[in-house]
Amino acid sequence: MEVVISVLVGALVAAAVYLMLSRDLLRFLLGLILISNAANLSIFVAGRLTTGAPPLIAEGQDFPADQVANALPQALVLTAIVIGFGLFAFTLVLTLKAYKRLGTLDTSEMRIAEPRDE
Amino acid sequence: MKSDAAHEAPAKAGQVLSGWLSVAIAAGLFAGFWQALGPVGGGEVLRWSRDWVPSAGISLSFLIDGLSLTFALLITGIGALVMLYSTKYLAGHPHFARFFLYLTLFMASMLGLVLADNLITLFVFWELTSITSYLLIGFTHTSAASRRSALQALLVTGAGGLALLAGMILLGDAAGTYELSEIRLMGDAIREHGLYLPILILFLIGAFTKSAQIPFHFWLPNAMAAPTPVSAYLHSATMVKAGVYLMARIHPTLAETDVWLWTLTIAGASTAVFASFMALKQTDLKQVLAYTTLMALGTLTLFLAADVGYAITAAMTFLIVHSLYKAALFLIAGIIDHETGTREVSKLGGLARFMPVTTAAAALAALSMAGFPPFLGFIGKELKYAGALAVQSEPFLVASAVLLANALMLAVAGVVAFKPFWRGQSATPMTPHEAPWRMLAGPVILAALGALLGIMPDLIAVPLVEPGVKAISNAELQPAELKLWAGVNLPLILSGITIAGGVALYLVHERLRDWLQSAGERAPSFDKGWDSLIDQFKAGAAWQTRVLQSGVMRRYVYTIFATLLIAVGGTLVWTGAFGGIPTVPFADLQMKHWAVVALIIAGAAVTTVTNSRIAAITGLGAVGIGVALIFIIFGAPDVAITQLLVETLVVVLFAVAALRLPLMKPEDGFPNRKLDALIATTIGLIVTAILVTVTDGPIDRRLSDFFESASWTEAFGRNIVNVILVDFRALDTFGEIAVVAVAGVAAWALLKGGKEASK
Amino acid sequence: MNSIILRAGARLLVAILLVFSVFMLLRGHNVPGGGFIGGLLGAVGFIVYAISCGTAEAREALRYPPENIALVGLGASLLSGLVSMVFGDDPFTGQWLFLGATEDDKGLPLSTVLIFDIGVYLVVMGAILALVFALEEEV
């Protein structure tokens, strides 16, 4: 199963990189969301996949049942999702501000910090 | 050159206080160190230590032996006199208090440097002296020349400091300790060690930059841009001797090899001779003195090269002699500048009538510098000759260099302390008059000490010079005796030659100066070389900034992904870690798996190719839900819920914000971006290859096993993921929510702040 | 969106979402849930409210500025982590108090870990709401 998810992550990354290489900030943002998803999935798959056994300890037991999913990558991914969202939201606000200030979303036109003719 | 002269304005009470407070601190410290004269003279070594970073073997340890006590007394004694002098010299200066703050800070750093018994502690103080020196050279910060000189001094000594740090770490590694008092006993082991040569080179770079040895000498004359008391104190009597101190301190550990002997001999001799000629070339009093300081530093280095009692005694004695007369002469140069308005030798003459006390002090200091009996300078000179004749390298060569330098020094003494006071008439901008007592105290006391100690050399021989020589040589060498009359011997004959040669040089010095100046114009200048080095450095920085910081976001993204492609992909191919194309277990794939994969691929495809924002958001939603489904299928309900909620928020935010943004342009589509597509596909393949390689290998489940077993029994939680988040790895989680909070508050501030500004 | 049905429904929905978010927060230590999920749910609740009734009303319903809520949460988490140092443990070591514990039953468990999770809840909800409210007011 890991192989399938690996291929899926690769496809997501390819789509994300293609979008991030665009001059359009909006497309870049779309790529950013996709690559966050891909990153989360890759952490998840690196911890190996276990079907249908969440890492919970049943009532009355001291330890989980024999084969539960790896809890560590889940904890990592959980925070990564929230942080990824924070990053996306902040970038979105920046994009919005940039558009209001500069009137364009074309990154090759945004040259205030480093003017073209140096 | 009126820049650092006094600004006449009434001084504020707080400023006056700051000046006198500094004087009191310095004088108090001097008195404190004075108490140590007895024990140290009796052969005792005082040590004080406290742990600082015990895990790295770094401690705040300090040690008082003959060497450090000599330095400490010079630093505090001359410091007190220079500060007293400055209270008048800089009276009414707008940054009066700041000056005294810097000066006191410097004194503290310099004391730390010479007292430190731990390499790292020593280094910290070493850097602090560089920084305070920077602040003091650039004290007249409105002058571009001052700023340049300050920066030059900082960069040269700072670069040396970095080399020194590397050397210290290597030495600490080789010796297994950073404590100097332990390292000094390991000389033989260190000299045999494979790292000896790198350690030596790095230490000498540090020492040579600080003590301005050729080819790092050029910053010192420029440092004369500092106010004159600073030149007297830092760039003559104390800080520039830090390099000499270091060489002396590390002498038991690193000396006694041919590399040490010859490197120091050549650097010291060439610096001494070169600087003597350069001193004769100058017409500005401070520049003359600056080059004689270089000469002194060269001579000290020259003597530290050797490993014989006479040479080391000569170094210790000359160290004290030089500090006394040179500080006095610098202060006198400051008086002349202050009272006449110029430091140009050619404009000065006949000042003896107007300033008798200054004249007397100058004469005493100059006679000591020239090495006439019965001054301490004479003893120093005799010892230098005795030491030069005793060195193991080339006694004849060393003695000739010392002879030449001494003769030139005598001529320079005439230029500095004879001509301005006796010969001719002055044509100065201001009518000269005698300086006030606070400015006279320093030069008079220091010059008088030169005479007094010449007559009674035992005053310093027993408590300072002899323990100092023992400290430098690890008590293996017998210090030479300090006496005025040692009978008719070779050093005395050489002294006679020196005096005759020096007087002759003084008589022709004006013609010699013209010749040197015309020769100097043709010679390559280190100072100009420095400028072009800095210019090239800046041009290099500008070039790489233009390349890397192009200002076009696409290029940044290209750079990032191209690096990924080459570094990671290259490594995969290079190491052969990738195990080949894996087989896909189609048999295991169920309907739901196919559905999820199809959903995600379709969503990603739509997002990538569409020009419609609504379609793109829909595609994103599909991908997000697909990913959440994967989490559910593979036993991660917490993650799945989080993913779904975040996905909802993403869609909401996009709906709120992105629809206010302009449409995506169709010309940004695939036909124009074939290269991008190629890069993207390759990176996708690499990521897949990495993941396949990773998941194909073994997994280390130690942490997961621990969490599973401890979750309920120790942390009382049945949801292992949550227990990891809030208990086992709570510190990480705290960092993460801090990031979330910052992102939220920053975005809020960005939106709200912009509104405030436009109002 | 000025629809009476939506507005009436939204109030109910928000109430349910908020109660549910606290429920998810508190049960998180033993079954799926926790501060992150609870915080996200709470944020979604208020965002629904803001969309249907306007940001101003949503801010009023929230009572406190969301950015303050986030910072208070961050402070609470930090303090809960530092409590353990009073007892001589490393920072962020959980401290537990079992109210009414007997031989068989652990009673009502109270812990610094719970306070930490409540902090997470507040940070996530506050930060997201600060951003979303500002964004909605901006456009």
Side-chain angles (χ1 to χ4, degrees):
Chain A
M1 247 355 262
E2 281 86 356
V3 175
V4 180
I5 305 294
S6 303
V7 173
L8 192 61
V9 170
L12 278 178
V13 168
V17 171
Y18 180 76
L19 284 168
M20 290 173 88
L21 286 171
S22 162
R23 290 145 65 125
D24 191 327
L25 261 186
L26 201 54
R27 281 192 215 270
F28 177 89
L29 269 178
L30 297 172
L32 190 68
I33 299 174
L34 283 187
I35 212 164
S36 308
N37 273 316
N40 295 339
L41 265 187
S42 67
I43 297 174
F44 189 64
V45 79
R48 305 301 186 273
L49 303 174
T50 312
T51 311
L56 301 170
I57 300 168
E59 200 70 40
Q61 303 281 316
D62 278 353
F63 304 103
D66 251 2
Q67 267 282 309
V68 294
N70 195 345
L72 180 59
Q74 292 194 18
L76 297 179
V77 171
L78 199 152
T79 48
I81 291 174
V82 178
I83 292 214
F85 172 71
L87 173 71
F88 157 74
F90 186 69
T91 321
L92 184 69
V93 169
L94 273 182
T95 308
L96 203 68
K97 272 288 182 190
Y99 178 63
K100 291 209 154 179
R101 206 50 84 70
L102 305 171
T104 177
L105 279 187
D106 187 339
T107 56
S108 52
E109 308 275 317
M110 298 180 173
R111 308 214 53 148
I112 295 205
E114 289 93 2
R116 201 182 301 269
D117 43 351
E118 266 189 300
Chain B
M1 296 299 278
K2 190 80 176 68
S3 56
D4 56 272
H7 299 241
E8 297 303 333
K12 291 189 198 114
Q15 293 196 332
V16 173
L17 181 70
S18 71
W20 286 107
L21 188 66
S22 307
V23 176
I25 292 174
L29 283 169
F30 181 78
F33 284 112
W34 186 268
Q35 306 295 318
L37 271 177
V40 170
E44 244 180 274
V45 172
L46 312 171
R47 195 163 182 282
W48 180 89
S49 182
R50 158 171 246 155
D51 275 349
W52 184 9
V53 191
S55 55
I58 300 169
S59 60
L60 276 175
S61 48
F62 298 98
L63 172 139
I64 301 183
D65 60 5
L67 182 62
S68 45
L69 183 62
T70 305
F71 268 93
L73 285 172
L74 288 175
I75 291 162
T76 49
I78 297 180
L81 294 173
V82 165
M83 285 168 182
L84 180 68
Y85 178 95
S86 309
T87 56
K88 193 70 199 173
Y89 187 83
L90 283 174
H93 192 284
H95 299 309
F96 185 86
R98 187 189 294 174
F99 180 81
F100 281 93
L101 175 68
Y102 291 164
L103 215 55
T104 313
L105 274 180
F106 165 76
M107 186 178 70
S109 321
M110 191 68 204
L111 273 179
L113 195 167
V114 298
L115 296 176
D117 190 33
N118 182 288
L119 283 175
I120 303 299
T121 312
L122 194 156
F123 174 76
V124 170
F125 288 111
W126 178 279
E127 291 294 280
L128 282 174
T129 61
S130 292
I131 293 166
T132 40
S133 157
Y134 168 75
L135 293 172
L136 284 165
I137 298 173
F139 185 67
T140 317
H141 55 79
T142 45
S143 141
S146 280
R147 294 199 301 271
R148 174 183 179 271
S149 302
L151 191 64
Q152 188 183 50
L154 182 71
L155 289 177
V156 173
T157 54
L162 279 182
L164 179 63
L165 178 63
M168 284 174 163
I169 291 171
L170 286 184
L171 179 58
D173 206 41
T177 173
Y178 286 111
E179 294 297 302
L180 270 164
S181 44
E182 292 172 32
I183 290 174
R184 55 181 296 138
L185 302 174
M186 302 182 190
D188 290 329
I190 301 292
R191 281 185 285 271
E192 308 265 296
H193 199 275
L195 287 173
Y196 171 73
L197 199 59
I199 291 172
L200 179 68
I201 292 171
L202 291 168
F203 263 85
L204 289 186
I205 291 176
F208 284 6
T209 47
K210 198 82 166 179
S211 281
Q213 298 297 298
I214 285 178
F216 307 114
H217 63 282
F218 50 90
W219 69 266
L220 183 56
N222 288 338
M224 296 301 131
T228 306
V230 173
S231 308
Y233 190 32
L234 272 72
H235 304 118
S236 165
T238 56
M239 190 196 90
V240 288
K241 296 219 175 78
V244 173
Y245 170 81
L246 182 74
M247 289 188 271
R249 184 50 86 199
I250 211 70
H251 199 276
T253 317
L254 297 181
E256 297 177 39
T257 63
D258 281 350
V259 193
W260 171 281
L261 179 66
W262 284 104
T263 314
L264 266 68
T265 303
I266 293 168
S270 51
T271 306
V273 173
F274 169 77
S276 307
F277 277 110
M278 290 298 284
L280 214 51
K281 186 183 128 180
Q282 310 300 323
T283 56
D284 179 345
L285 274 179
K286 272 182 84 175
Q287 288 296 320
V288 178
L289 291 173
Y291 278 104
T292 59
T293 305
L294 267 184
M295 171 270 172
L297 294 170
T299 311
L300 287 169
T301 307
L302 180 62
F303 283 116
L304 285 174
D307 188 39
V308 288
Y310 265 109
I312 305 294
T313 313
M316 271 307 286
T317 314
F318 184 54
L319 178 82
I320 301 170
V321 175
H322 174 258
S323 296
L324 295 179
Y325 77 66
K326 189 52 64 65
L329 286 177
F330 259 112
L331 294 178
I332 287 164
I335 290 179
I336 294 176
D337 190 17
H338 200 255
E339 308 303 338
T340 68
T342 182
R343 298 195 307 249
E344 279 297 310
V345 179
S346 52
K347 290 188 190 155
L348 294 166
L351 293 177
R353 262 182 297 151
F354 305 101
M355 19 179 44
V357 184
T358 311
T359 310
L364 288 177
L367 286 171
S368 189
M369 173 172 167
F372 282 103
F375 292 92
L376 189 58
F378 176 74
I379 300 180
K381 184 157 59 72
E382 296 292 288
L383 278 169
K384 281 200 275 181
Y385 285 131
L389 294 168
V391 298
Q392 311 100 309
S393 51
E394 276 289 339
F396 178 73
L397 192 112
V398 173
S400 317
V402 173
L403 179 70
L404 185 57
N406 275 338
L408 284 161
M409 209 43 40
L410 197 143
V412 170
V415 174
V416 174
F418 181 68
K419 187 174 168 291
F421 295 100
W422 301 106
R423 295 270 303 276
Q425 285 295 315
S426 63
T428 55
M430 285 153 62
T431 317
H433 52 83
E434 186 58 280
W437 73 269
R438 279 188 265 166
M439 289 173 68
L440 285 174
V444 169
I445 292 176
L446 293 170
L449 268 179
L452 179 73
L453 294 175
I455 298 163
M456 290 182 278
D458 281 350
L459 285 179
I460 56 163
V462 176
L464 294 177
V465 175
E466 285 171 16
V469 172
K470 290 218 166 78
I472 296 174
S473 67
N474 230 356
E476 283 166 12
L477 298 179
Q478 193 52 44
E481 209 179 328
L482 271 66
K483 50 188 173 191
L484 266 178
W485 179 250
V488 179
N489 52 12
L490 195 51
L492 190 70
I493 296 167
L494 287 173
S495 274
I497 301 175
T498 310
I499 290 174
V503 171
L505 277 170
Y506 174 69
L507 293 176
V508 298
H509 83 268
E510 276 171 3
R511 241 177 302 160
L512 197 59
R513 179 194 298 155
D514 294 342
W515 179 78
L516 282 169
Q517 277 173 348
S518 66
E521 276 159 26
R522 290 192 298 272
S525 151
F526 281 94
D527 209 30
K528 291 208 184 79
W530 167 264
D531 276 344
S532 74
L533 186 74
I534 292 295
D535 285 346
Q536 278 168 23
F537 196 72
K538 283 196 273 194
W543 173 79
Q544 73 94 17
T545 308
R546 268 198 309 280
V547 171
L548 292 179
Q549 308 290 331
S550 57
V552 182
M553 193 174 86
R554 239 157 65 87
R555 284 196 209 145
Y556 293 93
V557 182
Y558 264 122
T559 313
I560 292 169
F561 286 121
T563 311
L564 182 82
L565 199 68
I566 294 163
V568 181
T571 312
L572 268 187
V573 173
W574 182 262
T575 58
F578 181 51
I581 297 164
T583 46
V584 181
F586 287 107
D588 296 351
L589 284 175
Q590 299 164 12
M591 194 57 204
K592 61 182 180 187
H593 298 142
W594 282 116
V596 169
V597 170
L599 179 67
I600 292 177
I601 298 277
V606 168
T607 312
T608 311
V609 299
T610 186
N611 288 320
S612 147
R613 291 163 305 183
I614 298 285
I617 296 174
T618 316
L620 276 185
V623 171
I625 288 166
V627 172
L629 286 173
I630 291 179
F631 292 140
I632 291 177
I633 292 172
F634 295 105
D638 288 275
V639 186
I641 300 170
T642 313
Q643 167 78 15
L644 278 175
L645 287 168
V646 162
E647 207 50 47
T648 316
L649 286 168
V650 167
V651 171
V652 169
L653 278 187
F654 237 102
V656 174
L659 294 183
R660 306 296 202 282
L661 297 171
L663 294 168
M664 295 187 280
K665 293 178 200 144
E667 69 262 28
D668 205 32
F670 175 70
N672 299 327
R673 297 181 53 204
K674 294 198 179 69
L675 178 66
D676 293 0
L678 184 67
I679 292 177
T681 313
T682 325
I683 288 178
L685 286 174
I686 286 177
V687 170
T688 300
I690 294 169
L691 276 181
V692 166
T693 315
V694 167
T695 51
D696 201 32
I699 181 169
D700 182 352
R701 279 191 56 108
R702 270 179 301 169
L703 268 179
S704 303
D705 288 342
F706 166 76
F707 292 142
E708 280 173 15
S709 64
S711 177
W712 176 251
T713 51
E714 288 177 33
F716 316 114
R718 298 192 178 279
N719 180 359
I720 303 174
V721 174
N722 185 264
V723 174
I724 293 176
L725 285 176
V726 299
D727 198 335
F728 293 136
R729 307 209 53 82
L731 187 59
D732 289 1
T733 309
F734 178 71
E736 279 147 4
I737 58 172
V739 173
V740 172
V742 168
V745 172
W748 167 76
L750 199 61
L751 289 163
K752 294 290 174 188
K755 215 173 271 171
E756 292 293 320
S758 60
K759 257 179 201 168
Chain C
M1 276 179 259
N2 216 351
S3 143
I4 294 181
I5 298 174
L6 180 65
R7 291 177 65 162
R11 278 164 206 254
L12 188 65
L13 188 63
V14 171
I16 293 171
L17 274 172
L18 280 178
V19 172
F20 188 55
S21 79
V22 175
F23 169 69
M24 284 300 259
L25 161 70
L26 293 178
R27 68 172 216 156
H29 214 53
N30 294 321
V31 281
F36 280 101
I37 291 172
L40 286 166
L41 267 172
V44 168
F46 277 102
I47 290 170
V48 169
Y49 195 66
I51 289 173
S52 50
C53 306
T55 323
E57 216 167 303
R59 274 189 190 278
E60 216 164 287
L62 190 59
R63 280 164 184 263
Y64 300 103
E67 54 279 3
N68 291 6
I69 293 179
L71 294 180
V72 166
L74 198 60
S77 291
L78 181 61
L79 283 180
S80 80
L82 298 183
V83 166
S84 58
M85 293 177 78
V86 178
F87 300 100
D89 286 334
D90 286 335
F92 292 97
T93 310
Q95 305 292 324
W96 291 78
L97 179 67
F98 297 98
L99 282 185
T102 59
E103 194 68 24
D104 305 319
D105 186 37
K106 287 198 163 161
L108 180 64
L110 294 177
S111 66
T112 57
V113 169
L114 180 66
I115 299 173
F116 183 85
D117 220 9
I118 293 173
V120 172
Y121 175 94
L122 294 176
V123 169
V124 171
M125 185 170 89
I128 292 175
L129 286 182
L131 192 146
V132 173
F133 284 174
L135 201 60
E136 285 188 352
E137 283 158 357
E138 170 85 5
V139 292

